Amino acid sequence: MALKCGIVGLPNVGKSTLFNCVSSGKAQSANFPFCTIEPNIGSTIVPDKRLEVLESLCNPKRVVPATVEIVDIAGLVKGASKGEGLGNQFLANIRETDAILHVLRCFDDPNIVHVDGTVDPVRDKEVIDLELQLKDLETVENRIAKVQKQAQTGGDKNAKKLFDLLCRYRDALQQGKSCRTVAPENAEEEQMAKELFLLTNKPVMYVCNVDEASAKTGNQYVEQVREAVKDENAEILVIAAKIESDIAELESYEERQMFLEEMGLEESGVVRLIQSAYSLLNLRTYFTAGADECRAWTINKGDKAPKAAGVIHTDFEKGFIRAEVIKYEDFVELKSEAACRAAGKLGVEGKEYVVQDGDIMHFLFNV
C-alpha cells in the first residue's frame, strides 16, 4: 500500500520547492501564483535504517523499501470552494490523498511575493481551512438532505446513525471547526466517517517553511502556528525548504551529512517529513528478509497476520495458514533466520496475531 500525501498551501509558500526535495519529480518553481497548475506526482522511499541493517546481514540480490507518493497540488485562493482560481481542481486533488501536508510560509523575504502582500501563516492557514470547511459543509448538507427522511422514520438504523454523525459534522463546520475535531464514538462511526471522504477529516501536518537561521529552533511565526493549532489533532514540522533544496543538490551521502553538521542539524527535514507523514496515518512496517530480497511492507497499526499477508498478494490472505515471525532485535543479535530458529526465537502465529512494527515474517498459505 503506497501512502499518498498531498502538499497544499497558498501560492508562493514553498510547496513546489519542498516537493522537488522530497520526490524524484522536478516541479516548476517560480515567483508567481499558479506556477503549479496540474498536480505534480513523485515517489520517494521511507527512510528506515532497519532495512539497511537487514541488507548487511542477508546480502540479498535486491532491496525494496517502502514508498510514499507525494502530490504537489496547485496553490489555492479565497473562493476556491465556489470555483475561484483553480478551486474545483484543487479540492478534487486533495480528496484523492490520504493525508495533507499543509505548507505555511514562516519566513520574511521581500524578493518573494505573497499573494496577500504580508507574511501571516495563521491567516494563510485560516484561508485554506475556510475553503475546505465550506466545501465539506456543502457535502455534509447534501448528505443530510438525502438521509434525513430515512433517519426520522426510524426504519433504517444505519441512516439514523449516519444522520447523527452528519449533524455533528455540520455543527462543527458551522462553528468554523474542521471535521477532524469531531471524534467518532465507535468503530461503526469511524467507518462511516471514512466513507464520507471529507476534506477536513484527513490527517494533517502543518509544515512551517522557515529561513535558514530558523531551521533548528523555529521563529515567532512558528510559535504563532503552534498556538493556532493547539486544539487540533494535527502535527507541526519545522523545515527550511531552501536548505533542503541545497542538500538535494549534493551528490554523496557524506557531503549531505557534512552540510547538516555545519547547520547543526541531526538529519534533514525531508527525512523527518517522510517519517512523520508515515506515522501520521498510523502506518507500520514489517519485513521479509532473505538471500533473494529484503523488503519493507506497509500495513496499518493493528493489522492482523492475514491482512498483512494480503499486502504481498491477495492469495496469501485468502489461503492464510500461519505466519512465522522473528523479532527484528532477535534477528540482528543472532544474524540469521537459521540461528533464530535454532535458538527458539522464531514464533509460529495464527490468524489473530497482531503484527508488530519491525516484525520479520514468512507466511504459509494454501489456495
Side-chain angles (χ1 to χ4, degrees), residues 16-27:
S16 295
T17 300
L18 186 61
F19 171 83
N20 287 338
C21 301
V22 173
S23 76
S24 57
K26 288 294 180 183

Side-chain angles (χ1 to χ4, degrees), residues 40 54 74 87 95 139 141 145 154 163 166 171 184 187 196 223 230 243 287 314 324 331 338 347 362 364:
N40 293 287
L54 293 176
R95 203 176 295 279
T139 300
E141 288 180 333
F163 177 74
L166 287 166
D171 291 345
L196 289 171
E223 294 310 310
K230 64 182 181 181
I243 291 177
F287 302 99
T314 53
E324 294 180 343
F331 194 98
H362 176 68
L364 284 81

Side-chain angles (χ1 to χ4, degrees), residues 246-260:
D246 292 339
I247 293 173
E249 295 296 325
L250 298 175
E251 294 294 329
S252 69
Y253 172 80
E254 290 75 17
E255 286 180 307
R256 292 192 289 272
Q257 288 303 115
M258 286 179 61
F259 188 102
L260 287 170

Side-chain angles (χ1 to χ4, degrees), residues 230-243:
K230 64 182 181 181
D231 295 327
E232 287 190 37
N233 181 23
E235 296 184 25
I236 290 179
L237 184 73
V238 178
I239 193 169
K242 180 62 173 65
I243 291 177

Side-chain angles (χ1 to χ4, degrees), residues 6-309:
I7 299 179
V8 306
L10 291 178
N12 286 358
V13 296
K15 300 186 310 301
S16 295
T17 300
L18 186 61
F19 171 83
N20 287 338
C21 301
V22 173
S23 76
S24 57
K26 288 294 180 183
Q28 183 186 7
S29 180
N31 185 22
F32 56 89
F34 302 125
C35 171
T36 306
I37 298 176
E38 293 298 328
N40 293 287
I41 300 175
S43 182
T44 190
I45 65 168
V46 178
D48 196 323
K49 292 181 179 178
R50 295 173 299 181
L51 191 60
E52 296 173 18
V53 173
L54 293 176
E55 179 183 7
S56 68
L57 293 174
C58 299
N59 194 25
K61 295 176 183 175
R62 63 181 177 274
V63 177
V64 184
T67 59
V68 176
E69 194 170 89
I70 304 292
V71 186
D72 176 27
I73 299 171
L76 175 143
V77 295
K78 293 176 183 176
S81 59
K82 303 300 181 184
E84 292 294 328
L86 300 167
N88 292 329
Q89 185 176 342
F90 173 95
L91 296 165
N93 291 334
I94 295 178
R95 203 176 295 279
E96 294 169 5
T97 64
D98 300 306
I100 295 173
L101 307 179
H102 187 160
V103 182
L104 296 168
R105 177 171 170 175
C106 294
F107 65 90
D108 293 306
D109 188 336
N111 296 316
I112 299 178
V113 298
H114 189 290
V115 69
D116 284 328
T118 57
V119 176
D120 185 340
V122 175
R123 177 201 59 206
D124 295 352
K125 168 194 172 303
E126 290 172 350
V127 168
I128 288 189
D129 282 352
L130 178 60
E131 297 305 327
L132 299 185
Q133 289 164 5
L134 287 171
K135 197 65 180 179
D136 275 351
L137 183 58
E138 179 185 315
T139 300
V140 166
E141 288 180 333
N142 287 340
R143 289 300 302 272
I144 285 176
K146 289 181 180 179
V147 303
Q148 186 169 10
K149 189 172 182 180
Q150 294 171 290
Q152 290 175 340
T153 57
D156 188 334
K157 291 184 179 179
N158 286 332
K160 177 67 168 64
K161 292 175 182 177
L162 177 59
F163 177 74
D164 291 343
L165 178 61
L166 287 166
C167 287
R168 298 206 321 266
Y169 280 143
R170 181 180 60 187
D171 291 345
L173 291 165
Q174 287 176 339
Q175 294 172 38
K177 298 177 181 178
S178 293
C179 291
R180 71 181 69 89
T181 63
V182 178
E185 294 180 352
N186 49 52
E188 190 176 4
E189 276 199 353
E190 194 170 334
Q191 185 57 37
M192 287 179 176
K194 287 181 181 178
E195 293 171 359
L196 289 171
F197 297 104
L198 296 171
L199 302 172
T200 64
N201 219 8
K202 293 181 182 294
V204 62
M205 181 191 303
Y206 293 104
V207 182
C208 296
N209 184 16
V210 300
D211 55 26
E212 183 176 318
S214 307
K216 189 173 182 180
T217 58
N219 55 31
Q220 75 275 17
Y221 292 130
V222 175
E223 294 310 310
Q224 290 168 14
V225 174
R226 289 191 196 281
E227 180 64 23
V229 306
K230 64 182 181 181
D231 295 327
E232 287 190 37
N233 181 23
E235 296 184 25
I236 290 179
L237 184 73
V238 178
I239 193 169
K242 180 62 173 65
I243 291 177
E244 299 301 322
S245 180
D246 292 339
I247 293 173
E249 295 296 325
L250 298 175
E251 294 294 329
S252 69
Y253 172 80
E254 290 75 17
E255 286 180 307
R256 292 192 289 272
Q257 288 303 115
M258 286 179 61
F259 188 102
L260 287 170
E261 288 176 12
E262 289 174 6
M263 295 299 302
L265 301 171
E266 293 183 9
E267 58 184 356
S268 77
V270 164
V271 169
R272 289 185 288 114
L273 176 67
I274 297 167
Q275 291 174 336
S276 297
Y278 197 73
S279 65
L280 186 64
L281 287 176
N282 279 324
L283 298 178
R284 298 293 183 267
T285 300
Y286 77 85
F287 302 99
T288 49
D292 286 334
E293 178 183 88
C294 284
R295 184 164 184 159
W297 301 90
T298 301
I299 58 172
N300 292 298
K301 180 183 179 182
D303 279 354
K304 295 181 179 179
K307 192 166 184 180

Side-chain angles (χ1 to χ4, degrees), residues 337-358:
E337 180 180 324
C340 289
R341 192 182 295 272
K345 295 295 185 179
L346 185 148
V348 177
E349 304 289 352
K351 293 182 178 180
E352 294 305 309
Y353 176 70
V354 177
V355 179
Q356 302 300 302
D357 187 58

Side-chain angles (χ1 to χ4, degrees), residues 57-58 330-340:
L57 293 174
C58 299
D330 292 333
F331 194 98
V332 172
E333 180 183 348
L334 298 171
K335 301 189 178 351
S336 73
E337 180 180 324
C340 289

